[in-house]
Amino acid sequence: MLNSLASHRLFQTGETRGVTITCRNTMIQILTHRPNFSPLVVFMLLLVDHRLIVDSSVPVLQNPSEEYTKYVPIEELKLPEDQELVVRLPSNSLLKYTSYKDVSILHFDVPPDSRTAYFTFKAFEDPKSAFQRKCKPKDVTLHLKASSYPVISPENITFPKNFFTKDQRFKVYDLQFLSDEQQQRITIEGPYIGNWFAVAFVSWSDPNNDRIEQQGLAASCDTLLSAEMSVSRFRPIIINNGQEHEDNLTSHVLPELNGANITKDALNTSRPLRSIPPKQQKLKVASKSLAEGKSSRAAQFANTTENHNSTPTANNEIIYRFYVPDDIGDATARIMFDQVCDECPPVGFHVRANGYPLGGTDHNHGHGTIIRPNQTTEISIQFGVQPNSWHYALLTFVNEADESEMHSQANNSHTNHSLSYVLQIDYITEDSDNAMQKSKTVQNSTNSSSANPWEPTKFRRMNFYSLLRQTYREFFMFDYDLRPDVNGTVPETLNLTAKTHSGFAFDLGQVSDIGGTLTFALSMKEAHRASLKMSLPTQPPDLGGILAERLIGDPKEEVVPAVSATSNQSMQIVVCMQLGEPGEPEYPDKCRYGQRLMQASIIVNNTESMGLVHVPFPESGRWYVTMGLFCHGSGTARVSIMESVKEFIRKHQDMLADMRSPCDCAESVARYTSCLQSPDCLEAMNETETLKVKECIMDDKCSTNFKQMTRLFVEHHKAAMEQHVAVENCNTSVVFSVSSSPCVAGRCGRFGRCYHYMSGGFVFSTCVCSKGYRGWDCTEDSQVPTNMSILLATLLLTLSNLLFFPSIYMAVKRRYYTEGVIYFFAMFFSIFYHACDAGEDEYSFCLVKIGVLQFCDFYCGLLSIWVTLVAMAHVRTELVSLLHMFGAILLAFGTELNKQSLWVFLAPALTGICLISTSWGLRCAKSRKLFPSRRYLSVWLPFGLTLVVAGLVCYAFLQTKQNYHIVHSIWHMVMALSILCLLPSRKSFLPKC
């Protein structure tokens, strides 16, 4: 709610600012055209105008948790006349993707009456320091989706079981590009009107292969992303319920266009089609029909938005806009043509809620119908609508390419067409019988006590029950339940009957409800299930054999003997869950949404305890859940549902040969083909694989004649299931749950934690995994290290520090007592730090907090380097203690400031080298002899420096997450051995020639 109010205030501020600038520019223009104006006044207004314009570009911080947000505008685009810049966002800092917590959220608001939306992005590198060199461009990934945050998996990890399928949700648009300041664009025709969300990040790469770089060695840059959105609009005609509207639908072929030289660029540069008022349209028809006597070629009719495969035409669409109130689920469009036009192309009538009709059904639940203008009688088209939503209806000439007759007619058409019509849209309310029944119910309830809140209402010929929302304190925590009666009683179960489908609807908010996971669960009541008594079906005794022969086709196969009906009663619930439109359950596993047939969300039968579906980051709006109960008796049945499906895919296995990508079955065609040819393999095929092959055979991405295969399957399954005669007088009680929670049901498995994050002013929940687990719910274990590898890594990182014991012994023997103590504590804290950090909670032991151990490890390591350099310098005794304290204080400050900074290592090293050079040089110049000894300079010093350089190379350039325990252990051993070589003995400082 706070986010919504903040956004509203920002929009109000932007509108006021725009008005102020416009008025200010108008004032300046008026003053400059007056004959007696004051130059001083104009100059002052120009200064004020410049200052206010500069102030108006001050960014609004979208994410307080980020380090900073800069405003870097995208270069001025030369937008066509039909495009309008709507949104310009400040630059957002992008992080490298390790989990969903690293995404940056961008928000866009597509205004009403938008035909096309253009999303423009530009990523670039911003150096953190002015002295650093230019950074190398990085890979940036962006995902864009309507109404909610995109659900993504950059690691290509399979989503958890029972997740809502992506086919039932808004499409996610993907974009991958470099941060090289080049503009990238996503163009969406007919965008959903309302909120759009994009998530962007530096592209994921396998962390095991990423090099662990020392901070400061490579150029450090922030990856920033700028974004804009522009739209092209249309002007619809507002129409109300029951209102008639007369108009002319015209088809004007664009002149001087030859089919051979029509290009996509030429089409895109033309102005958008708009719905023109009737009077202007008639004048334009008359004027253009005289001028366009010649036809460019034998053309197919379509519009310049390329909604159909045909020659571009102009002004051949009329768009209506109407609002559907609550409790309206269906509407009827009545179209009547003034005269018969046999030469006219067919007319397409398309309806869509909250978006421009694209000329066909899509994931946004559109409706499309082709009408032939060869009659003058009234044509009624019934279609489903979404309550409380604006709808758009499109009338346009189309090319029905599927039918050869209309195709030839379109090819032979060289003239322009004008078609007068009358359109009326009527909302369908409750039937009179239902209304009378409802009035009787209300009257009876009034006479008794009060209205029954559990009484269902009819919506699209289904019983819908009212739900009550209960919200909790935590983010994204709420649930829906049946409304209580006057006594506060809520029924524990919901009764379903086979005669009528049942369901309910509930609303999700735009911002506050989309960052969690929506969960719907359904289960049959066990106590009620045992008491079901269904009447036995009646059918001829020989019907089972006839149907079995039609289904199996092989009379030699063994026939399963019939069993008692009481043990073979079949009861199944098909659940449809969808945003914006209720689905009609169809047996055995389908849901019909208008003109589309999709897979059911949940299937519950008397062999399954519970059906469950999760919707991560659910879209805002009204959700519908419908449930259909199907009961069957099987007195003479010998085939089950899965056997029917297996027989169908066996008969049509030749369809697998033509399957190619992006078909889901393309990669496994060979395996499926060999399995279908083997009876034993086919019998052993599980339910998931069987249904997957069946879906591929009927999928438009896998088969060219998917419509025919769908029809054949319906006929086949109906014939097979005729022996399972439906029982209409059965019922059952179910227990359901509609709830929302963070992450996945509020949990992230055993090896993850659920957190809330904010980006761009929007809150979302996500899992943060540990111990190598990955995935949406931290259950993917392909990269989880084994216990043996964890133990080996821990032992290497800890025991490698024991090589400091020789250095400690050598320091004490040569009377470097302070150095020996520091070497001991460097070994001590390094052992316990890695014992706490590397064990993955399996073999870890933390003496104190890991932050304290980490500080002591870095600090003692730097201090051991410093005291070794001081000992090599061989300065006077009174200066040694001073240098030790000087280094101890400054190194503690640097370690606490940034323990991983390059300068924390370089400062003591460079200072020590300068100290050694000065001390040794002065000794040599004073004594005129070689200092220190020749053996130290020729043997121990080069050998020690070689070890130090090798250790530094390993530490700074060779470490990755995968080999960290090996390379870092080598670093421990090399540093310990280098002390043995570099720490000089007292004899080394005796002057010799």
Side-chain angles (χ1 to χ4, degrees):
M1 180 64 70
L2 294 176
N3 293 331
S4 302
L5 292 175
S7 303
H8 181 65
R9 290 173 182 172
L10 290 179
F11 290 145
Q12 286 184 340
T13 306
E15 293 173 359
T16 307
R17 185 182 300 147
V19 172
T20 306
I21 295 174
T22 305
C23 297
R24 196 167 55 244
N25 294 337
T26 306
M27 186 185 303
I28 296 173
Q29 184 178 5
I30 294 175
L31 287 175
T32 54
H33 284 81
R34 288 182 180 177
N36 298 321
F37 64 89
S38 173
L40 180 61
V41 173
V42 175
F43 179 71
M44 292 299 295
L45 285 174
L46 288 174
L47 286 179
V48 172
D49 181 72
H50 175 71
R51 184 191 60 170
L52 289 177
I53 291 176
V54 172
D55 291 343
S56 66
S57 64
V58 174
V60 178
L61 293 180
Q62 302 248 339
N63 187 356
S65 63
E66 296 176 359
E67 292 184 3
Y68 62 89
T69 304
K70 296 179 63 178
Y71 176 75
V72 181
I74 299 179
E75 290 86 351
E76 289 294 332
L77 299 176
K78 294 182 179 179
L79 297 176
E81 296 180 357
D82 63 311
Q83 294 186 24
E84 174 187 355
L85 183 62
V86 177
V87 177
R88 174 175 288 169
L89 300 178
S91 297
N92 287 269
S93 180
L94 304 183
L95 303 177
K96 184 175 178 58
Y97 186 93
T98 58
S99 64
Y100 205 94
K101 65 181 177 62
D102 300 317
V103 302
S104 294
I105 296 179
L106 311 177
H107 174 246
F108 306 91
D109 190 9
V110 176
D113 306 339
S114 296
R115 177 192 300 271
T116 308
Y118 306 92
F119 298 88
T120 306
F121 305 96
K122 185 184 73 171
F124 56 95
E125 298 294 328
D126 183 30
K128 292 184 178 180
S129 174
F131 302 100
Q132 291 180 346
R133 58 184 181 274
K134 187 176 180 181
C135 294
K136 182 180 178 181
K138 302 174 185 175
D139 286 327
V140 175
T141 302
L142 183 139
H143 303 277
L144 179 67
K145 179 177 171 291
S147 191
S148 183
Y149 315 132
V151 179
I152 57 174
S153 179
E155 307 102 315
N156 293 324
I157 300 175
T158 305
F159 288 108
K161 186 181 179 181
N162 301 321
F163 260 39
F164 211 50
T165 60
K166 63 179 182 180
D167 297 335
Q168 295 179 271
R169 309 193 64 175
F170 286 108
K171 180 181 178 181
V172 177
Y173 297 86
D174 305 320
L175 185 64
Q176 190 164 5
F177 54 98
L178 293 175
S179 56
D180 54 359
E181 303 187 13
Q182 297 296 320
Q183 293 182 6
Q184 308 292 330
R185 171 173 287 193
I186 297 177
T187 302
I188 301 176
E189 299 288 343
Y192 173 84
I193 292 174
N195 294 319
W196 283 74
F197 295 92
V199 294
F201 47 87
V202 178
S203 300
W204 178 85
S205 59
D206 191 351
N208 291 327
N209 301 326
D210 289 345
R211 186 162 57 90
I212 302 176
E213 296 181 347
Q214 172 62 39
Q215 194 178 91
L217 290 180
S220 181
C221 293
D222 288 325
T223 304
L224 302 180
L225 178 69
S226 299
E228 292 180 353
M229 185 192 73
S230 58
V231 298
S232 62
R233 301 197 185 188
F234 56 89
R235 294 192 299 268
I237 301 172
I238 305 295
I239 189 172
N240 298 319
N241 179 30
Q243 175 185 353
E244 291 187 355
H245 185 269
E246 299 182 9
D247 214 327
N248 289 333
L249 184 63
T250 61
S251 172
H252 285 201
V253 180
L254 297 178
E256 304 300 329
L257 282 179
N258 191 353
N261 56 17
I262 296 178
T263 62
K264 185 175 181 180
D265 294 336
L267 294 177
N268 291 338
T269 54
S270 61
R271 68 179 185 86
L273 303 180
R274 301 180 184 272
S275 298
I276 303 174
K279 293 184 180 180
Q280 300 180 11
Q281 207 170 29
K282 291 180 180 179
L283 293 175
K284 191 166 289 189
V285 168
S287 60
K288 288 198 172 185
S289 59
L290 294 176
E292 297 177 352
K294 295 183 178 181
S295 176
S296 60
R297 65 180 179 96
Q300 301 170 352
F301 289 90
N303 52 39
T304 56
T305 55
E306 298 178 283
N307 291 335
H308 307 279
N309 246 339
S310 51
T311 302
T313 60
N315 302 329
N316 69 334
E317 67 173 19
I318 298 178
I319 305 174
Y320 295 92
R321 180 182 177 188
F322 57 95
Y323 183 79
V324 177
D326 202 1
D327 298 331
I328 300 296
D330 295 286
T332 300
R334 309 182 190 277
I335 303 175
M336 187 169 59
F337 300 106
D338 289 350
Q339 57 184 356
V340 175
C341 182
D342 294 329
E343 298 180 354
C344 292
V347 176
F349 177 76
H350 307 284
V351 181
R352 182 184 166 195
N354 299 315
Y356 171 77
L358 295 179
T361 58
D362 59 358
H363 62 278
N364 292 332
H365 323 307
H367 173 89
T369 302
I370 303 298
I371 310 169
R372 299 188 182 185
N374 56 1
Q375 55 182 321
T376 57
T377 58
E378 182 181 273
I379 302 173
S380 297
I381 304 172
Q382 185 173 342
F383 54 92
V385 293
Q386 299 181 22
N388 297 325
S389 300
W390 283 98
H391 289 66
Y392 295 90
L394 169 68
L395 278 174
T396 180
F397 285 119
V398 299
N399 170 42
E400 197 174 21
D402 295 337
E403 300 186 16
S404 58
E405 179 184 355
M406 296 305 300
H407 184 71
S408 61
Q409 289 180 5
N411 285 337
N412 295 329
S413 177
H414 295 270
T415 59
N416 301 319
H417 303 283
S418 178
L419 190 63
S420 300
Y421 68 92
V422 177
L423 173 66
Q424 178 180 338
I425 297 179
D426 298 327
Y427 300 152
I428 301 177
T429 57
E430 277 188 281
D431 298 335
S432 57
D433 296 339
N434 296 330
M436 292 177 59
Q437 185 178 1
K438 185 175 180 180
S439 62
K440 291 181 181 179
T441 304
V442 173
Q443 184 178 1
N444 295 333
S445 62
T446 305
N447 294 334
S448 57
S449 57
S450 60
N452 186 5
W454 308 333
E455 187 71 23
T457 58
K458 285 290 183 180
F459 184 76
R460 291 199 181 181
R461 299 167 297 280
M462 291 182 283
N463 291 331
F464 269 75
Y465 295 86
S466 179
L467 299 181
L468 178 66
R469 171 168 171 156
Q470 181 175 355
T471 305
Y472 302 94
R473 296 176 59 183
E474 190 178 352
F475 277 111
F476 318 122
M477 286 286 291
F478 59 88
D479 56 34
Y480 282 92
D481 206 346
L482 294 174
R483 289 185 176 274
D485 59 6
V486 291
N487 298 324
T489 304
V490 178
E492 296 181 358
T493 61
L494 180 67
N495 189 37
L496 298 182
T497 62
K499 293 182 178 180
T500 307
H501 301 325
S502 301
F504 32 77
F506 53 92
D507 296 322
L508 297 186
Q510 292 189 356
V511 175
S512 59
D513 295 345
I514 64 175
T517 299
L518 178 67
T519 302
F520 176 75
L522 181 74
S523 177
M524 291 187 187
K525 187 78 170 179
E526 191 70 26
H528 290 259
R529 190 185 310 169
S531 62
L532 288 176
K533 293 184 179 180
M534 298 184 295
S535 59
L536 297 178
T538 58
Q539 58 183 13
D542 59 341
L543 181 58
I546 297 174
L547 292 177
E549 184 176 355
R550 289 171 56 188
L551 177 66
I552 306 299
D554 187 0
K556 297 181 180 180
E557 293 184 4
E558 181 182 359
V559 177
V560 180
V563 294
S564 61
T566 55
S567 63
N568 278 320
Q569 290 175 349
S570 173
M571 184 163 51
Q572 179 171 300
I573 300 177
V574 178
V575 180
C576 305
M577 185 175 180
Q578 187 65 48
L579 171 70
E581 182 176 7
E584 182 180 355
E586 292 189 3
Y587 188 80
D589 59 352
K590 294 296 181 183
C591 294
R592 180 166 294 280
Y593 300 96
Q595 298 175 324
R596 299 172 302 127
L597 191 65
M598 301 181 64
Q599 184 69 25
S601 302
I602 302 176
I603 299 175
V604 180
N605 53 48
N606 49 12
T607 62
E608 297 180 0
S609 59
M610 184 178 65
L612 185 68
V613 62
H614 296 295
V615 186
F617 299 155
E619 291 84 353
S620 59
R622 179 164 296 181
W623 284 79
Y624 292 92
V625 176
T626 53
M627 299 165 288
L629 175 63
F630 298 93
C631 303
H632 296 84
S634 55
T636 60
R638 75 177 189 88
V639 290
S640 66
I641 297 175
M642 281 299 106
E643 289 173 345
S644 168
V645 176
K646 288 180 180 180
E647 180 59 26
F648 175 77
I649 63 177
R650 186 183 68 83
K651 287 183 178 180
H652 301 281
Q653 57 181 299
D654 56 321
M655 300 293 299
L656 297 175
D658 298 331
M659 293 185 181
R660 300 290 185 272
S661 183
C663 178
D664 295 337
C665 300
E667 298 180 356
S668 306
V669 167
R671 180 168 59 89
Y672 289 147
T673 303
S674 61
C675 186
L676 293 179
Q677 293 174 356
S678 172
D680 295 336
C681 181
L682 180 60
E683 183 180 359
M685 183 180 289
N686 59 30
E687 181 177 341
T688 303
E689 295 288 338
T690 304
L691 293 177
K692 182 178 180 180
V693 176
K694 182 206 69 169
E695 293 298 325
C696 290
I697 293 177
M698 299 186 298
D699 193 351
D700 58 347
K701 295 183 295 186
C702 304
S703 174
T704 55
N705 56 346
F706 63 94
K707 293 183 179 179
Q708 180 184 1
M709 299 308 300
T710 303
R711 179 179 57 82
L712 290 177
F713 175 75
V714 172
E715 295 176 356
H716 168 88
H717 198 72
K718 182 179 179 182
M721 291 296 108
E722 282 179 7
Q723 49 197 322
H724 291 262
V725 179
V727 181
E728 296 183 356
N729 59 346
C730 74
N731 55 49
T732 185
S733 296
V734 295
V735 180
F736 72 91
S737 171
V738 180
S739 61
S740 174
S741 58
C743 301
V744 183
R747 298 184 298 271
C748 295
R750 295 176 53 199
F751 305 99
R753 297 189 64 182
C754 184
Y755 291 93
H756 294 90
Y757 290 91
M758 176 179 287
S759 176
F762 298 93
V763 181
F764 61 94
S765 62
T766 186
C767 291
V768 178
C769 308
S770 60
K771 297 185 180 181
Y773 284 85
R774 304 183 302 161
W776 197 265
D777 58 349
C778 300
T779 56
E780 202 277 333
D781 57 355
S782 62
Q783 294 189 1
V784 175
T786 62
N787 291 338
M788 183 59 66
S789 63
I790 295 175
L791 180 60
L792 179 62
T794 305
L795 292 176
L796 277 176
L797 290 171
T798 54
L799 298 182
S800 60
N801 289 280
L802 295 180
L803 281 181
F804 275 93
F805 271 118
S807 301
I808 297 171
Y809 171 77
M810 187 66 67
V812 174
K813 183 179 180 181
R814 294 177 178 178
R815 300 182 180 180
Y816 291 106
Y817 301 113
T818 303
E819 289 79 356
V821 171
I822 294 175
Y823 296 155
F824 171 78
F825 280 105
M827 176 192 68
F828 177 84
F829 286 115
S830 180
I831 289 175
F832 282 97
Y833 167 65
H834 288 294
C836 181
D837 179 63
E840 294 284 351
D841 295 335
E842 295 291 338
Y843 303 101
S844 61
F845 172 75
C846 296
L847 186 65
V848 291
K849 291 182 179 180
I850 190 171
V852 177
L853 293 174
Q854 186 184 39
F855 171 83
C856 294
D857 179 35
F858 277 83
Y859 176 65
C860 291
L862 292 172
L863 196 59
S864 62
I865 296 175
W866 172 248
V867 296
T868 303
L869 294 174
V870 172
M872 292 172 60
H874 192 65
V875 296
R876 289 183 295 175
T877 306
E878 56 269 18
L879 293 179
V880 172
S881 59
L882 179 64
L883 290 174
H884 283 174
M885 291 303 300
F886 178 77
I889 296 174
L890 291 183
L891 287 177
F893 171 77
T895 304
E896 180 64 25
L897 184 65
N898 188 355
K899 61 180 66 70
Q900 296 179 345
S901 174
L902 178 65
W903 288 104
V904 176
F905 291 88
L906 288 181
L910 295 178
T911 305
I913 292 174
C914 293
L915 185 64
I916 291 173
S917 302
T918 304
S919 176
W920 289 2
L922 292 177
R923 290 294 183 94
C924 290
K926 185 176 181 180
S927 62
R928 301 291 181 180
K929 295 178 181 179
L930 187 63
F931 185 86
S933 66
R934 185 183 302 274
R935 183 174 178 81
Y936 180 82
L937 291 176
S938 59
V939 178
W940 300 116
L941 182 63
F943 189 64
L945 291 179
T946 303
L947 290 176
V948 170
V949 171
L952 291 176
V953 170
C954 292
Y955 183 83
F957 302 105
L958 300 182
Q959 287 189 132
T960 64
K961 184 178 180 181
Q962 191 171 12
N963 65 10
Y964 172 79
H965 60 285
I966 299 175
V967 176
H968 199 75
S969 299
I970 295 175
W971 154 261
H972 289 163
M973 294 184 289
V974 166
M975 289 297 102
L977 294 175
S978 64
I979 293 176
L980 291 175
C981 302
L982 295 178
L983 192 65
S985 64
R986 301 296 179 180
K987 298 179 180 180
S988 301
F989 295 115
L990 296 177
K992 294 180 181 180
C993 297

